[in-house]
Amino acid sequence: MSTLRERYEAAGQGHLFHFWPELSESERAGLTAQLEALDIERVNRIFKKAVAAEKEAASGSSDDIEPLPQDASDATVGHPEKEAEWRSTGLKAVARGEVGVLLMAGGQGTRLGSSAPKGCYDIGLPSHKSLFQYQAERIARLQQVAELESGKPAGSVVVPWYIMISGPTRRETEEYFKTHSYFGLSPDNVIFFEQGTLPCLTMDGKVLLETKSHVAVAPDGNGGLYAALRQPLSPFHTSHTVLTDLSHRKVQYVHAYCVDNCLVRVADPVFLGYCIGKQADCAAKVVPKASPTESVGVVARRGDKYSVVEYSEISQAQAERRDASGELAFRAGNIANHFYTTDFLHEVASFEDELAFHIARKKIAHVALDTGAIVKPAKPNGMKLEMFVFDVFPFTKRFAVLEVARNEEFSPLKNAPGTGSDDPETSRRDLLSQHRRFLQSAGAVVEEGVEIEISPLVSYAGEGLESVKGKTFKRSGAVSSVEELDVLA
């Protein structure tokens, strides 16, 4: 104990022992375990680097920010022949068992009025399927499509699904999957792992106590994904991590995305094939900005490095700048949808200390050292430190960007019902509109006002609907097989 206390005193964080004399034995044991597990010297380094990086960014100029070079990006829209080629390449990789999926799903649906994990949310579809179920069924369908197109036996193709959860959502997420029998996927191929945390700090870098015997902590951002890949999946098998599991399964390519996009194409073979063809070690899928003033970060170049540049870092002239084709020069809207080689994910540890954490100033409840009372501040009193998943872009040797249609692949769920944008109603509208287009592209007519939900188990991206050609759909409903569509005609 004296050694631990000396270490914290030397780090300028000795105040964490302030209430030690009045703690019970169990409280002392809990605090000791938390402080022993915490790398306090690393916390101090992260704080100093984050503050310095913030100052540097504030004093920086936007002059060194340039749009993506032409040879670094491509688009699916208007290039059906390229899309078909990329899809074929990607599907072959899926069929060979070379593809895995990383899902960032640590958040709760607090802004949606729910304390449940966000992936459990029902956006109001006729089927009442959750986001998790939709994504699980897309994986199941993709495995089936890869088997059919490669001539492999049913059940032979596996796309492992690694789901990053957080401390507050772990138990509920795991129970949700068990209760629903993993939505038809094998439990052996659905691997949960936990996002890391960092202590909450005062504005001058002192660690805050949530109670007299517990340090206040917060998730370390979606960029904590990389460190979490190296953490033991079980306390009983400390050498088994997501990275070792990927290697054991001989997975070479990984698709990563956030849970809140109802249109996400999980392990998208088109994106995978594009990245494999470009020999990228890291890549981003983007959508065109809706307007010059849309509040979204864009993938661009900062000096000679790729980066996500926040909308606040670009001047109005840059935001409105057009290229030779008349498109916005800075239009590659970031949607947290990425490709990595497994080799690259292994490499992140070698440069992770160079990544600066970002500061989020928040209202953080804590115990006051002078009175011992719990303080619930009315204005921001401290900071949470987080890393963003795109912070690795500048360290990528071979980077690529694929632009896709927003209405086909991006409809985020961010806001409370009734907000009017990025809410459950817009997610529901966008998904059902896509299913209408699937039917129309297959040669069917869908009457005005008719809403048909097509299970991902029936079609991953509009394929497999040839039998609807020439039919007119007059009734709304949800279908879980092609045959059920006949009832709605």
Side-chain angles (χ1 to χ4, degrees), residues 318-336:
Q318 285 173 316
E320 294 176 353
R321 181 172 151 191
R322 303 273 172 175
D323 61 19
S325 65
E327 300 277 0
L328 290 173
F330 292 94
R331 68 173 180 275
N334 174 49
I335 58 173

Side-chain angles (χ1 to χ4, degrees), residues 22 40 82-83 99 101 112 131 136 166 184 229 388 413 426 453 456 465:
E22 55 189 275
I40 194 62
K82 283 186 182 179
E83 188 172 356
V99 173
V101 173
L112 304 169
L131 294 169
S166 61
L229 298 178
F388 299 148
L413 180 61
T426 58
E453 179 190 350
L465 299 173

Side-chain angles (χ1 to χ4, degrees), residues 95-360:
R96 291 192 298 266
E98 295 172 353
V99 173
V101 173
L102 287 174
L103 166 59
M104 293 169 276
Q108 293 168 293
T110 313
R111 286 165 69 179
L112 304 169
S114 168
S115 60
K118 209 172 190 182
C120 300
Y121 197 82
D122 168 9
I123 59 173
L125 294 168
S127 68
H128 293 289
K129 290 177 181 177
S130 65
L131 294 169
F132 277 141
Q133 181 165 357
Y134 245 78
Q135 291 159 30
E137 291 183 353
R138 285 194 181 120
I139 291 174
R141 173 62 182 170
L142 180 65
Q143 291 173 165
Q144 185 182 46
V145 171
E147 288 162 359
L148 290 169
E149 297 203 14
S150 64
K152 292 205 163 188
S156 64
V157 171
V158 170
V159 177
W161 197 16
Y162 301 89
I163 302 176
M164 185 173 77
I165 47 185
S166 61
T169 65
R170 175 163 210 139
R171 184 190 59 78
E172 202 169 344
T173 302
E174 290 182 340
E175 282 301 315
Y176 185 73
F177 272 78
K178 285 176 188 170
T179 302
H180 292 86
S181 303
Y182 293 80
F183 307 105
L185 299 176
S186 167
D188 293 339
N189 301 321
V190 180
I191 299 99
F192 297 100
F193 66 107
E194 197 164 315
Q195 182 174 4
T197 60
L198 280 171
C200 301
L201 306 176
T202 63
M203 298 300 187
D204 56 357
K206 298 295 183 184
V207 176
L208 286 163
L209 282 167
E210 182 181 22
T211 66
K212 293 178 181 181
S213 61
H214 194 268
V215 171
V217 297
D220 56 4
N222 57 19
L225 167 74
Y226 305 107
L229 298 178
R230 302 193 300 272
Q231 296 304 307
L233 289 169
S234 161
F236 309 109
H237 303 285
T238 54
S239 62
H240 186 204
T241 67
V242 172
L243 286 181
T244 64
D245 199 81
L246 287 166
S247 297
H248 174 73
R249 293 174 185 264
K250 296 183 171 56
V251 169
Q252 294 186 38
Y253 311 111
V254 174
H255 177 223
Y257 68 96
C258 288
V259 75
D260 61 3
N261 177 14
C262 69
L263 295 181
V264 66
R265 295 189 177 176
V266 187
D268 176 20
V270 174
F271 186 36
L272 290 164
Y274 165 73
C275 297
I276 292 167
K278 293 280 284 188
Q279 296 186 307
D281 48 21
C282 177
K285 184 184 279 194
V286 300
V287 297
K289 280 184 70 172
S291 69
T293 55
E294 185 183 8
S295 301
V296 62
V298 293
V299 182
R301 295 267 286 186
R302 193 190 296 271
D304 62 348
K305 304 286 187 184
Y306 292 96
S307 181
V308 170
V309 179
E310 296 301 337
Y311 58 91
S312 56
E313 298 178 80
I314 297 177
S315 68
Q316 185 173 342
Q318 285 173 316
E320 294 176 353
R321 181 172 151 191
R322 303 273 172 175
D323 61 19
S325 65
E327 300 277 0
L328 290 173
F330 292 94
R331 68 173 180 275
N334 174 49
I335 58 173
N337 192 313
H338 303 150
F339 164 93
Y340 309 97
T341 62
T342 307
D343 287 343
F344 179 78
L345 292 175
H346 278 278
E347 287 172 18
V348 174
S350 67
F351 58 76
E352 204 165 38
D353 282 347
E354 297 178 56
L355 302 175
F357 280 72
H358 306 268
I359 297 171

Side-chain angles (χ1 to χ4, degrees), residues 417-485:
T419 305
S421 67
D422 298 345
D423 64 11
E425 291 84 5
T426 58
S427 292
R428 179 187 190 279
R429 176 202 70 201
D430 292 346
L431 191 55
L432 293 177
S433 295
Q434 182 184 64
H435 291 183
R436 170 183 282 265
R437 290 193 298 275
F438 284 173
L439 292 168
Q440 290 170 334
S441 296
V445 174
V446 184
E447 290 192 349
E448 194 66 33
V450 170
E451 293 182 329
I452 297 176
E453 179 190 350
I454 303 168
S455 167
L457 295 171
V458 174
S459 182
Y460 176 88
E463 80 295 331
L465 299 173
E466 294 80 9
S467 63
V468 304
K469 187 173 183 178
K471 293 181 180 176
T472 298
F473 291 97
K474 303 175 181 181
R475 297 173 59 194
S476 298
V479 298
S480 54
S481 70
V482 176
E483 293 74 25
E484 289 179 18
L485 281 164

Side-chain angles (χ1 to χ4, degrees), residues 1-43:
M1 177 48 60
S2 60
T3 305
L4 184 66
R5 186 176 284 209
E6 284 171 13
R7 196 176 128 220
Y8 274 78
E9 292 284 359
Q13 304 283 6
H15 62 281
L16 296 173
F17 291 91
H18 183 79
F19 298 105
W20 187 264
E22 55 189 275
L23 300 182
S24 66
E25 284 304 313
S26 63
E27 288 173 329
R28 287 182 177 185
L31 181 60
T32 300
Q34 195 182 18
L35 295 181
E36 283 179 337
L38 188 61
D39 185 344
I40 194 62
E41 294 80 12
R42 175 176 176 261
V43 171

Side-chain angles (χ1 to χ4, degrees), residues 374-396:
I374 298 294
V375 177
K376 293 187 176 178
K379 59 182 183 179
N381 64 304
M383 58 176 71
K384 297 178 180 181
L385 298 169
E386 53 189 14
M387 197 181 285
F388 299 148
V389 71
F390 52 73
D391 286 336
V392 300
F393 288 2
F395 296 86
T396 306

